[in-house]
Amino acid sequence: MNQNNSMTRDQELRARALKVVPGGMTGHLNAAALPSGYPQFFESGSGCRIRDVDGREFIDFMCSWGPVILGHHHPEVEEAVARQMALGDCLNGPTERFVELAELFTDRVEHADWALFQKNGTDATTVCLTVARAGTGRRKILVASGAYHGAIPWCSPSLAGVTAEDRAHLIYFAYNDLDALERAVAEAGDDLAGIMVSAFRHDVGFDQQLARKDFAQRVRAICDEKDAALIVDDVRAGLRVAKGCSWETLGVNPDLSAWSKALANGYALAAVAGSDRFRQAATRIYSTGSFWSAGVSMAASIATLKVLGSVDSIGYLQRIGERFRTGIAAQAARYGIGVRQTGPAQMPTILFDDDADYAKGFLFTGEALRRGVYLHPRHNMFFSMAHREADIDEALEATDGAFRVLAEHLEQKRRVG
Ligand code: PMP
């Protein structure tokens, strides 16, 4: 135990973690990649507010990187969880919730005739890839370069521990680029098993790009011509862009889609939705995990889908996102600072002009954090149904202060430079 009282609880936990966890923390949740002052460890969450281990409270614009769509600790979800927990979670087989959820989910998602459940988004994208290969008897999968599909060797952003063989049958193209897509299809030849696309381009550190309709239609047409699987990775955007699969908004249905994050309002659950064309293939692959059919997260998911289904969830998320976007745009204009706000308003990325090293973004978000708002300097953010107009207005007071500090800093730099 560290007895140094000058340390914050967060610093103390980081020091302890460093001794027993490689690097103290790995992956996307590593606060070392964030401006100084960002907490690594959290105590609790309620609605759109989160509290760190030092008792600081923030308005949360990350929603646990997507999973929390109704708000932290949502009463109807927690009630369903408690009810299921009292009955049992991990048993010798699934509970009734398994069938109820598959029925509800396949009703909600237009292209879905069946569903399979897993735990993480990586499980779901990997199952999609495997089903596509099993169903077509082919090997090549086309993916957009820079797109995130998970954290295992076939798709991890880090090449540490990854062999060329792990990715031997992937072919890359640029998202929304029809020529690049056609070249990749030609390279796959008669070995094309599928094309995997994210709902829109949401690569970290870049402006987001919505999927162009002609791009989506061409991907669909190619998969039809070649008898390959169109796979939409809806892990991040699922349930925030549409009530069903995100590409439904473009009039395009995939054969397979991968889901996780918002599916169970923060409880660990992923799903693959598929059409009848791949039902046989989905029965032949070995798709399982010790916790994949556990009941609690399925109860959470049923409650989440029911709450979302009872209101205009997409309209609400869009409106609340637009309120924030409009406020940020007005502040940026007032302070004469160039910002780019991209992606759907309910999943915004905010990047600054002339900010290749994200220094402006770091200063801005660090200052917003000091004023009680948890933003992300490089990644897309997320709104939840628990964000109210008053929360957005409170957050905008904080971002106004952050813009002021950034403007002063830039002015000082101009004078010195
Ligand atoms: N696909 C996309 C589009 C994602 O955003 C993520 C997670 N950020 C994944 C797959 C992997 O999900 P998980 O982290 O739950 O394995």
Side-chain angles (χ1 to χ4, degrees):
M1 179 79 78
N2 195 309
Q3 297 299 321
N4 187 346
N5 287 335
S6 66
M7 272 183 146
T8 64
R9 185 90 183 124
D10 192 78
Q11 287 167 337
E12 187 197 322
L13 287 168
R14 285 190 202 215
R16 282 168 54 193
L18 207 49
K19 292 187 185 147
V20 288
V21 177
M25 184 69 209
T26 62
H28 69 297
L29 299 179
N30 194 343
L34 291 167
S36 72
Y38 269 73
Q40 178 67 80
F41 293 95
F42 293 87
E43 183 77 38
S44 61
S46 175
C48 71
R49 314 255 166 174
I50 44 173
R51 189 180 280 265
D52 72 12
V53 287
D54 288 294
R56 294 185 299 170
E57 190 177 277
F58 307 101
I59 302 179
D60 180 17
F61 282 76
M62 284 308 283
C63 294
S64 315
W65 297 68
V68 172
I69 190 166
L70 296 176
H72 294 275
H73 214 72
H74 187 273
E76 276 164 81
V77 177
E78 296 311 315
E79 205 180 292
V81 161
R83 220 178 307 124
Q84 188 58 48
M85 193 78 90
L87 292 170
D89 183 23
C90 187
L91 304 168
N92 283 1
T95 68
E96 276 188 47
R97 308 290 91 71
F98 179 85
V99 182
E100 283 170 25
L101 177 59
E103 286 170 349
L104 185 57
F105 185 57
T106 52
D107 268 356
R108 214 44 80 76
V109 178
E110 229 171 72
H111 79 91
D113 297 313
W114 53 262
L116 291 173
F117 298 108
Q118 311 83 26
K119 281 288 145 199
N120 281 284
T122 307
D123 303 331
T125 54
T126 304
V127 165
C128 284
L129 196 110
T130 312
V131 170
R133 284 175 172 154
T136 58
R138 308 191 201 125
R139 297 175 297 176
K140 305 292 179 192
I141 302 283
L142 271 46
V143 289
S145 41
Y148 188 76
H149 294 301
I152 51 173
W154 76 262
C155 55
S156 150
S158 165
L159 290 177
V162 173
T163 67
E165 288 79 5
D166 289 317
R167 298 177 184 200
H169 297 295
L170 296 187
I171 301 175
Y172 300 92
F173 63 94
Y175 199 92
N176 268 342
D177 181 336
L178 289 176
D179 292 338
L181 177 69
E182 301 290 355
R183 280 196 300 276
V185 170
E187 190 183 330
D190 57 10
D191 203 11
L192 181 65
I195 303 178
M196 182 179 285
V197 285
S198 33
F200 54 91
R201 187 176 177 221
H202 45 42
D203 309 349
V204 64
F206 292 94
D207 292 329
Q208 299 192 95
Q209 221 179 72
L210 299 181
R212 284 208 330 258
K213 198 165 180 166
D214 62 333
F215 170 74
Q217 285 169 339
R218 186 66 195 131
V219 175
R220 180 67 272 174
I222 290 167
C223 289
D224 290 339
E225 281 162 30
K226 305 276 180 187
D227 214 19
L230 167 48
I231 306 162
V232 169
D233 177 354
D234 231 346
V235 168
R236 194 179 310 178
L239 303 180
R240 277 195 174 80
V241 170
K243 290 212 173 193
C245 176
S246 295
W247 273 29
E248 286 175 24
T249 59
L250 301 166
V252 172
N253 272 316
D255 302 293
L256 303 166
S257 54
W259 302 71
S260 187
K261 292 207 185 264
L263 206 51
N265 201 48
Y267 287 88
L269 189 68
V272 169
S275 58
D276 272 334
R277 196 177 141 209
F278 285 89
R279 188 189 288 265
Q280 257 302 315
T283 61
R284 284 191 290 114
I285 68 159
Y286 195 67
S287 170
T288 193
S290 298
F291 301 103
W292 286 14
S293 63
V296 166
S297 62
M298 294 191 176
S301 183
I302 292 167
T304 303
L305 291 175
K306 282 186 175 163
V307 173
L308 287 174
S310 67
V311 290
D312 175 18
S313 55
I314 306 300
Y316 183 79
L317 293 169
Q318 278 170 342
R319 275 197 304 283
I320 213 78
E322 284 296 344
R323 189 178 185 89
F324 187 64
R325 180 165 283 185
T326 305
I328 289 287
Q331 290 173 353
R334 188 150 20 87
Y335 288 102
I337 293 175
V339 296
R340 302 186 306 280
Q341 303 192 75
T342 57
Q346 62 274 35
M347 292 176 64
T349 291
I350 301 178
L351 296 175
F352 288 82
D353 290 348
D354 306 315
D355 195 31
D357 61 359
Y358 305 100
K360 291 180 192 173
F362 267 53
L363 202 158
F364 176 75
T365 51
E367 288 295 323
L369 186 95
R370 277 163 24 87
R371 291 164 173 77
V373 177
Y374 191 106
L375 301 171
H376 199 288
R378 299 174 69 234
H379 196 278
N380 75 268
M381 295 174 272
F382 301 87
F383 284 92
S384 77
M385 302 295 290
H387 288 85
R388 303 274 169 244
E389 288 184 358
D391 301 310
I392 301 303
D393 297 347
E394 188 183 330
L396 284 168
E397 277 178 39
T399 56
D400 190 76
F403 268 121
R404 194 176 56 246
V405 173
L406 177 58
E408 284 164 6
H409 170 80
L410 294 174
E411 180 54 33
Q412 219 165 44
K413 250 179 81 174
R414 241 189 316 269
R415 279 208 217 107
V416 174

